């Protein structure tokens, strides 16, 4: 099966990828919906939405400070490096990610579209002042804006919030021109991210899914490899490198 996927990748005119929390799982970052997932202890309604933040900003900030700590001290894994290698070989054109960690960039990926924002980014709820951080804020106290003293929030997209329009537009453009998409480590339930691979498919393109478990995308995917992204993407990058160099 991996050979067929390598052939599809080598024959692709324009290859893109969509990744989810599963590609960071082997870096020790818990996924959202897996058995030990982040959402198990809490529900998305409780934390990753504006109402929850308005109701209890300290609880939401504590959760994000904890996730920032985990992400900033994690290392990219083989999956992140494999995507970066495919980009370096000129094979992968664009990497679209739902992840809010920066492990793709730290592994060397350059052309990354963050659909749901980033834990590196913090934004003022009032004046919109946005800046990058290298470590989580200490909570309490609640972090406030150095410009207008209003409450700061994590620079991520919460449920019910629209995705950054420029990023979303670029992502839709990518799937309009792509003829092959690798979908790795996502449960393919969150919209509009989950609809991106279907646009490639509807235009006659090829979907490669890499996931240890079944997802709603599995039945429409042309190839589904039931495995971990680190191992599978590592193998794919190796085989592509052998074929090209
Ligand atoms: C919007 C950022 C519109 C914050 C996140 C009903 C139907 C359709 C849609 C909706 C609906 N009701 C509501 C909606 C819209 C909603 C939505 O999609 N809800 C779903 C749940 C039904 N979407 C939104 O609200 C979006 N905004 O639609 O706005 C709008 C229009 C007008 C006006 C206003 C608004 C915003 C969505 C973004 C939400 N933010 N996160 C944060 O991270 O804290 S979503 C969150 O889920 C993360 O970003 C995450 O990336 C994303 C998707 O999860 P996955 O990445 O797939 O992770 P998951 O744990 O689910 O799966 C991991 C997978 O990896 C598993 O399949 C597992 O098997 C696999 N795996 C595990 N280990 C490995 C592995 N794979 C490979 N290797 C391994 N080793
Ligand atoms: Zn401000």
């Amino acid at each position: 099966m991996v050979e067929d996927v390598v052939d599809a990748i080598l024959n692709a005119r324009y290859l893109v990828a969509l990744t989810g929390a599963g590609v960071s799982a082997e870096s020790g970052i818990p996924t959202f919906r897996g058995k030990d997932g982040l959402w198990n202890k809490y529900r998305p309604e409780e934390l990753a939405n504006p109402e929850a933040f308005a109701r209890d900003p300290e609880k939401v900030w504590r959760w994000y400070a904890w996730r920032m700590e985990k992400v900033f001290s994690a290392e990219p894994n083989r999956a992140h490096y494999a995507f970066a290698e495919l980009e370096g070989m000129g094979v992968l054109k664009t990497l679209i990610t739902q992840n809010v960690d920066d492990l793709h960039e730290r592994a060397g990926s350059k052309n990354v579209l963050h659909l749901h924002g980033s834990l590196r980014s913090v934004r003022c709820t009032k004046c919109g002042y946005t800046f990058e951080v290298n470590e989580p804020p200490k909570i309490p106290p609640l972090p406030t804006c150095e410009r207008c003293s209003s409450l700061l929030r994590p620079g991520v997209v919460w449920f019910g919030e629209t995705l950054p329009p420029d990023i979303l537009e670029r992502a839709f453009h990518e799937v309009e021109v792509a003829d092959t998409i690798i979908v790795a480590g996502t449960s393919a339930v969150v919209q509009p991210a989950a609809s991106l691979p279907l646009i490639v498919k509807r235009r006659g393109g090829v979907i490669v899914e890499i996931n240890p478990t079944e997802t709603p995308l599995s039945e429409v995917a042309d190839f589904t490899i039931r495995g971990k992204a680190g191992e599978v993407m590592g193998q794919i990058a190796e085989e592509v490198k052998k074929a090209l160099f």
Side-chain angles (χ1 to χ4, degrees):
M1 170 65 101
V2 173
E3 306 72 52
D4 305 340
V5 165
V6 169
D7 284 347
I9 288 171
L10 291 170
N11 296 331
R13 198 182 22 77
Y14 198 98
L15 172 72
V16 300
L18 172 69
T19 63
V23 300
S24 298
E26 291 157 84
S27 296
I29 312 284
T31 61
F32 289 84
R33 297 167 182 86
K35 51 189 179 336
D36 57 354
L38 287 166
W39 299 137
N40 285 1
K41 286 177 279 309
Y42 317 101
R43 290 189 327 281
E45 302 70 42
E46 273 181 74
L47 291 167
N49 69 63
E51 297 70 29
F53 187 64
R55 194 172 45 247
D56 188 347
E58 186 168 321
K59 177 179 178 186
V60 174
W61 255 119
R62 278 182 191 282
W63 185 54
Y64 278 95
W66 172 71
R67 286 177 60 202
M68 289 161 91
E69 185 54 50
K70 276 195 94 58
V71 162
F72 297 167
S73 52
E75 289 303 319
N77 67 64
R78 187 78 193 88
H80 299 108
Y81 288 112
F83 281 112
E85 282 159 30
L86 287 174
E87 182 189 70
M89 290 188 264
V91 171
L92 177 70
K93 304 295 183 205
T94 301
L95 198 156
I96 305 165
T97 187
Q98 300 169 88
N99 297 342
V100 291
D101 64 49
D102 62 340
L103 295 176
H104 280 304
E105 288 87 347
R106 283 168 51 198
S109 287
K110 303 266 176 296
N111 197 7
V112 182
L113 295 178
H114 278 274
L115 297 176
H116 299 158
S118 165
L119 290 174
R120 285 255 174 239
S121 162
V122 173
R123 187 168 77 236
C124 175
T125 54
K126 190 94 170 299
C127 73
Y129 171 51
T130 303
F131 56 100
E132 300 272 302
V133 292
N134 288 321
E135 69 258 336
K138 261 218 42 56
I139 310 289
L142 285 173
T144 52
C145 176
E146 62 189 38
R147 292 193 179 165
C148 75
S149 313
S150 305
L151 181 60
L152 296 174
R153 60 164 282 176
V156 298
V157 178
W158 281 328
F159 285 102
E161 293 186 323
T162 46
L163 279 59
D166 52 326
I167 302 278
L168 189 54
E169 201 178 306
R170 283 170 57 195
F172 277 124
H173 169 73
E174 289 301 316
V175 292
E176 284 299 335
V177 298
D179 62 347
T180 308
I181 183 165
I182 298 174
V183 183
T186 181
S187 57
V189 292
V190 171
Q191 296 298 346
S195 60
L196 295 172
L198 301 179
I199 295 173
V200 175
K201 182 79 188 170
R202 244 202 309 283
R203 293 181 34 259
V206 169
I207 298 179
V208 177
E209 181 182 49
I210 299 168
N211 195 320
T213 62
E214 186 96 0
T215 75
L217 200 65
S218 303
E219 64 208 9
V220 296
D222 300 80
F223 304 100
T224 40
I225 304 183
R226 288 275 164 268
K228 292 187 168 190
E231 286 150 35
V232 175
M233 282 309 302
Q235 229 184 325
I236 288 172
E238 277 312 305
E239 295 303 317
V240 169
K241 203 173 350 184
K242 264 190 237 153
L244 291 183
F245 300 92

